[in-house]
Amino acid sequence: MKMRKGISAVLAGVMALAALPVSAMSASAEGAYALGDVDMDGYITGHDAAMVTRALYVDNSALNDEQLKLADVNGDGVVDQSDADWIHENETYALGVMCERDQQSGVELCSISLYYQSWYVAETGAGYSVELTEDSYPETTAELDDMLVNGKMPKVIFNLLDADGNGVLDINDIFVSTLSLGLRGCGYQSTIYFAENRYDLGENALNLPDYITACGVIEIGGNRKEFSY
């Protein structure tokens, strides 16, 4: 009798999984991840969208086979802009947002992000190791600080700080994040991104002539010229 009940429970579980839509998950050697969770940290975030557009516009070999499967959210066998757009529209956490409280208040990548990027770069640059953990997304920055004190950082936070989407957190991420913050601060752009349809803050997404003209000054070879705008 017990054996029958056990078999019935297993069959019920198999039938329940079979009833899930094909797009619900992708199996991998490391476990099952939701489609769109390209970085496989358990969340669909702005970093996943950043990774996809970086692969589309910067390095078409950036994603491995498993990541390509997770990035193909519409299941058409091709990873393209429509997949990146869907991931961005359905992201749970925005790029650079460090805690649930700020996410709910609509804060985008900001000076708080710069602080944590700088902390990580300084910590690792000084030779200290930072353990990336599977801890959940923190409710507050105070909760995150408690983890950092112990040399630990949730993998999802590390990913959200990787502004250019290349899987490395370094001075380049600090640079592009600072530039994004400055351009928004002076009213030149209203979003954190440098270009339409780009969800990574890659340097090659910058249209430097436009920015130079907007700022009104350019200096090349020691010759300084002002523009009217």
Side-chain angles (χ1 to χ4, degrees):
M1 189 65 173
K2 289 183 177 179
M3 179 66 73
R4 286 185 179 179
K5 288 183 177 179
I7 293 174
S8 297
V10 171
L11 289 174
V14 171
M15 291 175 68
L17 286 174
L20 289 173
V22 176
S23 63
M25 62 179 67
S26 173
S28 83
E30 299 180 43
Y33 299 94
L35 287 178
D37 184 13
V38 182
D39 57 21
M40 296 183 283
D41 62 8
Y43 300 89
I44 298 175
T45 70
H47 183 252
D48 297 302
M51 290 182 68
V52 175
T53 53
R54 182 176 186 277
L56 293 176
Y57 293 97
V58 181
D59 180 6
N60 58 19
S61 64
L63 303 181
N64 61 35
D65 290 344
E66 181 60 24
Q67 290 170 329
L68 286 171
K69 292 177 183 177
L70 292 168
D72 181 20
V73 293
N74 59 16
D76 64 358
V78 178
V79 176
D80 56 22
Q81 187 64 47
S82 64
D83 296 302
D85 292 340
W86 186 93
I87 294 172
H88 176 64
E89 291 166 5
N90 291 275
E91 65 192 30
T92 304
Y93 301 116
L95 191 67
V97 180
M98 294 290 92
C99 69
E100 189 76 51
R101 184 177 61 190
D102 286 344
Q103 172 75 11
Q104 291 173 352
S105 65
V107 173
E108 291 188 290
L109 181 147
C110 64
S111 57
I112 296 174
S113 317
L114 295 178
Y115 167 79
Y116 288 113
Q117 287 173 332
S118 300
W119 177 89
Y120 180 88
V121 171
E123 193 80 356
T124 54
Y128 297 102
S129 63
V130 178
E131 178 188 354
L132 299 184
T133 71
E134 300 301 324
D135 287 306
S136 58
Y137 190 76
E139 291 289 332
T140 64
T141 51
E143 182 181 332
L144 175 58
D145 289 341
D146 288 340
M147 299 179 195
L148 300 184
V149 166
N150 295 308
K152 298 180 179 181
M153 175 182 280
K155 183 180 178 183
V156 62
I157 295 298
F158 174 90
N159 289 336
L160 288 169
L161 291 174
D162 175 27
D164 57 13
N166 69 349
V168 179
L169 183 50
D170 57 20
I171 192 67
N172 293 323
D173 296 295
I174 297 174
F175 168 72
V176 294
S177 298
T178 302
L179 184 57
S180 172
L181 183 60
L183 290 171
R184 282 177 287 146
C186 70
Y188 184 66
Q189 63 185 42
S190 58
T191 74
I192 69 173
Y193 304 108
F194 300 140
E196 189 176 1
N197 299 325
R198 287 287 295 270
Y199 306 121
D200 60 292
L201 299 186
E203 291 182 49
N204 71 333
L206 292 165
N207 191 335
L208 290 178
D210 283 351
Y211 290 136
I212 292 168
T213 302
C215 294
V217 175
I218 182 173
E219 184 171 340
I220 300 176
N223 297 316
R224 184 178 179 87
K225 183 177 180 180
E226 294 188 2
F227 293 85
S228 60
Y229 60 97

